[in-house]
Every structure is written in C-alpha cells, then in structure tokens.
Amino acid sequence: MSKILVTGGAGFIGSNFVHHLLANSDHTVTVIDAMTYAGIRASLDGLPSDRFELVEGDICDAPLVDKLVADADIVVHFAAESHNDNSLNDPSPFIQTNLVGTFTLLEAVRKHGKRFHHVSTDEVYGDLELDDPAKFTATTPYNPSSPYSASKAGSDLLVRAWVRSFGITATLSNCSNNYGPRQHVEKFIPRQITNVLCGIRPKLYGAGQNVRDWIHVDDHNSAVMEIIEKGRSGETYLIGADGEMNNKDVIEMILRLMGQPTDAYDHVNDRPGHDLRYAIDNSKLVDELGWQPKYQDFEQGLQATIDWYKENEDWWRPMKDATEAKYAKVGQ
Ligand code: NAD
Ligand code: TDX
C-alpha cells in the first residue's frame, strides 16, 4: 500500500486515474489541484473519504509542494494547462504551470528522494505528413509547434535533466489524444457531442484532414500504472493504441451515432500552426512492459462516451456556454 500524490487530479485524465486507482488497489491518494477552469470538483464525487483527500493548491507553491511530496511515496504528475487553442490566445499560464510547476515538483522530489512519473504528450514531437509511414518513437527528435506543446517539451527535458544530473528516480510517458468520460467540453470530441445535445452544429477546423491517434483514457491510465510499477528510471514510454483517424471522419461518426445527418456540421476557422498528424509506435511499451489496450474498438468507446455525456448533463452544462463564447470570439 502506497501514498500517491496525484497532481491535476480534478482534470480529465487525472480524475479518471484516481477513480481507477481507488477502485482497484488499496493505495491512498492525495490530489493537489489549483481548480482552474479545467479542475472540476464533481469529477471527484463518490471517492472513499478515508483513502482520498483533495488539496486545493498550486504546483508552483513550493512550500505546499514540499510538504505534500514529503508525505507521499510516489508522485504522478498530470497537472498542466492542456489546451492548444488557449495557449494560442494566452501562453503565459502554460509557461508558469507546465514549466515552473514541473520544476517546483522536481525540486521537492529531489530533496525527499521520491519516485516521480511525468505525464506528457506526443505533441512534443511535432507532426507527421499524412502519407509518412513513420510513427513517433522515444527517439524521435523534439519539434513542438504550439506554446502548449513547447511548454510540455520543456517540462520533459527538465525531468530528464533531473534524472541525469541529480539521480532522481523518474519515468516519462508521452501519450496520444485521449477520449472518454469527464473530458472538458473545450476538447474536440466532447465539444461536438455536447453541441449536438444542445442543438448547435458541430465545428470542424479547416478541411478536417488532420489525423489524431485516439486512445481511451482508461487505456492511457492502465499504461501509466504499468510504467510506475515496471518502468525503468529515466526511460520514456510512448502510449498509443493504433487509433489514427482524421477529424472529418470522427465528426461524421459522432453525428451518425447520435442519429443526425452526417453532413450536419460547419467548417470554421482553422487553428494557426495546426499540427497535421500524430501517430504513436507503442512497441516499447508493449514489448518491454507487456501492456495491451482494452478499448480496441473506437466506435464502441465513442458510443460509450456519447452515452456518458447524455447521462451527465449536470456535469458539463455549467461549462458549456462560457466555452462556446470563447470559441465564438475567434470564429471557431
Ligand atoms: P485537464 O486540462 O483536463 O486537467 C488539468 C488539471 O490540472 C486541472 O484539474 C487543473 O485544475 C489542474 N491544474 C492546472 N494548473 C495547475 C496548477 N498550477 N497547479 C495545480 N493544478 C493545476 O488536462 P488533461 O487532458 O487531463 O491532461 C492531463 C495531463 O495529460 C497533462 O499533463 C497533459 O499534457 C497530458 N496529456 C493529455 C492528453 C489529452 O488528450 N488530453 C494527451 C496526452 C497527454
Ligand atoms: O472544435 C474543434 N474542432 C476541431 O476540428 C476542436 C476543439 C478541435 N478540432 C480539431 C483540432 C485537432 O486537430 O480536432 C483535433 C483535436 O483537437 P483537441 O481536442 O483540441 O486536441 P489536440 O490539439 O490534438 O491536443 C490534445 O491531444 C494531445 C490534448 O488537448 C492535449 O492536451 C494533448 O497533449
């Protein structure tokens, strides 16, 4: 039984991680979360109070981080500013949380000699051409495009430097696009599902040829658990489940699964610097750690996600109008 400190545990992936961990182990969990617009208290409803605590605080707050890290056995670091479109409107919180926040955690981990896992993204590698047979591997050179992905790339390099220079025990993972329950409605899939539920036409950036490599959030988190248990310190593991699909096909699938005409969507302004394609080679994770995804069928996982948003309007309704108002300002 371990004491696990989860940063960003009120966000999409972190909250699913905490639910999974508490249901499937006897570990105790402390979440530190600044409860930004992306931190949703309701995402942590129903957790056992004797094994779970939420501390509202900032990962840049060094004294608080020092105290929480000292009390923990393992730190799993999800907290971040995570949305590319926001990083194009105002990069500053991305620099603060993703870089300064990660630095603050690393210093506490170094001081107290604790195990660290850093959750990152495949976007640090830049993008691929549509017809490129290559996929990202742990040795692909870093080439981030947006302020978000550049700040995540910087945070990864800090972790690697703290392993090499200071000998901390840390692993890294870079995952592709997640989908599933409790994802903020600013993100592509929940935005379109909740648009349909609100009678708003789904919004596709540009021509929609951009490809993302979709993975269910539970598969991301099961891979993170494998890496924490069996990964080698200093190593980077890429997490993906062979889920490449272009945005136009995803929007049409959502419309079909929700009983709408498949052309009932709008093309809106493209994202500046929009990455064309991401694709993950997961062979290191599969061969070295024996990990396998559970959600092999994207359409089934998407249907379950649509059902979750249909059944949990109380969860997403409070954030919907403000999110759409923000998009309307930039013609998206
Ligand atoms: P999210 O935006 O849903 O959640 C982020 C959480 O971090 C929120 O609860 C927020 O309140 C918290 N937070 C933000 N700034 C903080 C600060 N300064 N101190 C403490 N807490 C703070 O993000 P997500 O989609 O769950 O992503 C989690 C992690 O996974 C991120 O590191 C992201 O880069 C990475 N990732 C995400 C995806 C994806 O598809 N969503 C894919 C690969 C990697
Ligand atoms: O309304 C939309 N219409 C649209 O066409 C939105 C919100 C997005 N898009 C496109 C842009 C992308 O090509 O859909 C694709 C997915 O967009 P996002 O959900 O914003 O994800 P992306 O930018 O690919 O980044 C995601 O995956 C990697 C997460 O947000 C990151 O946190 C993660 O690191």
Side-chain angles (χ1 to χ4, degrees), residues 13-319:
I13 306 173
S15 63
N16 280 290
F17 181 79
V18 171
H19 278 278
H20 181 82
L21 198 68
L22 289 169
N24 295 290
S25 75
D26 54 5
H27 300 312
T28 61
V29 172
T30 299
V31 163
I32 173 173
D33 198 297
M35 305 308 284
T36 69
Y37 79 95
I40 317 289
R41 210 166 277 274
S43 294
L44 296 168
D45 279 353
L47 295 170
S49 56
D50 55 332
R51 290 167 58 217
F52 168 73
E53 185 192 9
L54 168 63
V55 176
E56 188 167 340
D58 193 319
I59 55 165
C60 301
D61 178 344
L64 175 64
V65 164
D66 185 83
K67 179 177 154 301
L68 295 175
V69 170
D71 281 349
D73 300 311
I74 303 170
V75 181
V76 189
H77 177 32
F78 291 96
E81 285 292 336
S82 70
H83 193 38
N84 275 299
D85 292 321
N86 291 343
S87 83
L88 296 165
N89 293 330
D90 179 11
S92 62
F94 290 75
I95 302 304
Q96 188 63 19
T97 289
N98 300 357
L99 288 166
V100 178
T102 302
F103 159 74
T104 306
L105 286 160
L106 287 169
E107 284 295 78
V109 162
R110 166 158 89 109
K111 179 171 161 197
H112 297 291
K114 299 297 166 77
R115 168 87 171 84
F116 187 70
H117 181 73
H118 180 65
V119 176
S120 192
T121 169
D122 60 355
E123 297 190 16
V124 299
Y125 301 114
D127 59 354
L128 299 162
E129 292 299 328
L130 293 180
D131 59 355
D132 189 340
K135 295 183 173 196
F136 299 139
T137 73
T139 57
T140 303
Y142 274 37
N143 188 26
S145 312
S146 73
Y148 162 67
S149 49
S151 67
K152 291 296 291 188
S155 69
D156 293 8
L157 298 182
L158 291 176
V159 179
R160 291 182 185 189
W162 261 243
V163 171
R164 173 138 180 187
S165 299
F166 302 125
I168 69 162
T169 304
T171 42
L172 300 91
S173 56
N174 295 78
C175 187
S176 58
N177 285 62
N178 285 217
Y179 72 98
R182 306 187 190 92
Q183 185 168 31
H184 196 284
V185 299
E186 69 189 356
K187 302 296 196 308
F188 179 55
I189 287 179
R191 184 181 184 204
Q192 315 314 335
I193 294 171
T194 53
N195 275 355
V196 174
L197 293 175
C198 291
I200 302 170
R201 283 164 71 89
K203 311 288 181 215
L204 186 64
Y205 293 175
Q209 293 309 302
N210 310 64
V211 170
R212 296 295 181 263
D213 190 351
W214 293 101
I215 182 172
H216 193 278
V217 63
D218 290 348
D219 283 332
H220 181 182
N221 282 330
S222 73
V224 168
M225 280 313 295
E226 291 285 343
I227 296 165
I228 290 169
E229 283 163 16
K230 301 193 251 167
R232 288 176 292 136
S233 183
E235 292 293 316
T236 292
Y237 297 88
L238 269 62
I239 306 173
D242 297 322
E244 281 187 68
M245 196 177 296
N246 77 34
N247 295 338
K248 182 170 179 289
D249 289 347
V250 173
I251 257 190
E252 288 176 357
M253 191 183 281
I254 291 171
L255 284 163
R256 179 166 55 75
L257 292 174
M258 297 185 77
Q260 304 291 315
T262 54
D263 61 355
Y265 62 88
D266 296 331
H267 291 273
V268 294
N269 289 341
D270 207 352
R271 174 183 286 171
H274 196 172
D275 278 343
L276 192 51
R277 172 173 161 247
Y278 306 137
I280 292 273
D281 174 347
N282 65 10
S283 53
K284 180 172 172 182
L285 183 67
V286 170
D287 297 346
E288 201 181 292
L289 305 186
W291 173 83
Q292 283 294 334
K294 253 183 29 199
Y295 290 81
Q296 306 273 12
D297 183 336
F298 177 69
E299 187 166 328
Q300 247 176 37
L302 189 58
Q303 181 65 64
T305 304
I306 291 169
D307 293 344
W308 189 87
Y309 282 89
K310 277 187 186 162
E311 287 155 18
N312 290 278
E313 186 169 343
D314 289 354
W315 183 92
W316 58 263
R317 177 57 74 180
M319 63 186 91

